[in-house]
Amino acid sequence: NCPMKNLIPTLLLTFGVLITATETSRAIAPFKKAFEEKYVKSSDNNDFKAAFKKGNCNVCHVQGQKKDWLNAYGLTLAKNIPGSVKERLDKAKAGGAEASKAENEKLLEELKAAFEKAEEAKSPSETTFGAMFKDHKLPTDEGARSVNDPDPADGDASKAK
């Protein structure tokens, strides 16, 4: 029994997981940074800053669920960004570095516009997201669902999870 026999497959698997995790987070990091720049860095509330740091991607996503699960705020942003962000980034990446850079810049501009629209939208608690952020609060998992499930507001609540 050679200990190296098991080490190499383990290292390869670990490396593969790290690469996958890096690729997944690369698409999300600019969105997280844009939110932080717009709402968190300008805040003088240390509890709000700490909550953002702790919540991380869960400002939009739902902890413990697949990344296609978004809370009400994430769903509101998604409605205002055309198409699938992942598919758009994958397609751009296949087109090379320039195409990838251009698509990232386009998505960030769309995200900035989506932030503005989302500020006026009401959260499940009936407070606008803009008022929520001014009160130094972050969205909860209330109203969360997969982006692949029908929107109950579209009248097909029977299929929504």
Side-chain angles (χ1 to χ4, degrees), residues 43-117:
S43 174
D44 59 357
N45 186 298
N46 288 333
D47 290 339
F48 182 64
K49 289 179 177 184
F52 173 76
K53 188 174 181 180
K54 182 180 178 191
N56 215 347
C57 298
N58 297 324
V59 169
C60 298
H61 293 274
V62 179
Q63 187 168 355
Q65 294 288 344
K66 292 181 181 177
K67 287 295 179 186
D68 67 330
W69 273 75
L70 300 174
N71 61 27
Y73 181 66
L75 290 166
T76 300
L77 291 176
K79 282 182 185 179
N80 291 295
I81 298 174
S84 162
V85 171
K86 182 184 180 330
E87 289 174 12
R88 288 174 61 184
L89 288 171
D90 287 348
K91 183 178 178 184
K93 186 177 176 185
E98 285 298 314
S100 185
K101 180 180 177 188
E103 188 63 26
N104 269 298
E105 289 172 2
K106 183 177 179 183
L107 279 166
L108 285 173
E109 287 304 312
E110 291 172 9
L111 179 65
K112 289 176 185 175
F115 281 157
E116 299 301 319
K117 290 179 183 176

Side-chain angles (χ1 to χ4, degrees), residues 16-65:
V17 169
L18 288 174
I19 293 296
T20 304
T22 302
E23 290 299 316
T24 303
S25 65
R26 192 176 298 162
I28 304 217
F31 280 31
K32 179 184 152 201
K33 183 177 179 183
F35 181 90
E36 183 176 22
E37 291 289 327
K38 180 161 180 64
Y39 299 107
V40 181
K41 284 193 175 179
S42 62
S43 174
D44 59 357
N45 186 298
N46 288 333
D47 290 339
F48 182 64
K49 289 179 177 184
F52 173 76
K53 188 174 181 180
K54 182 180 178 191
N56 215 347
C57 298
N58 297 324
V59 169
C60 298
H61 293 274
V62 179
Q63 187 168 355
Q65 294 288 344

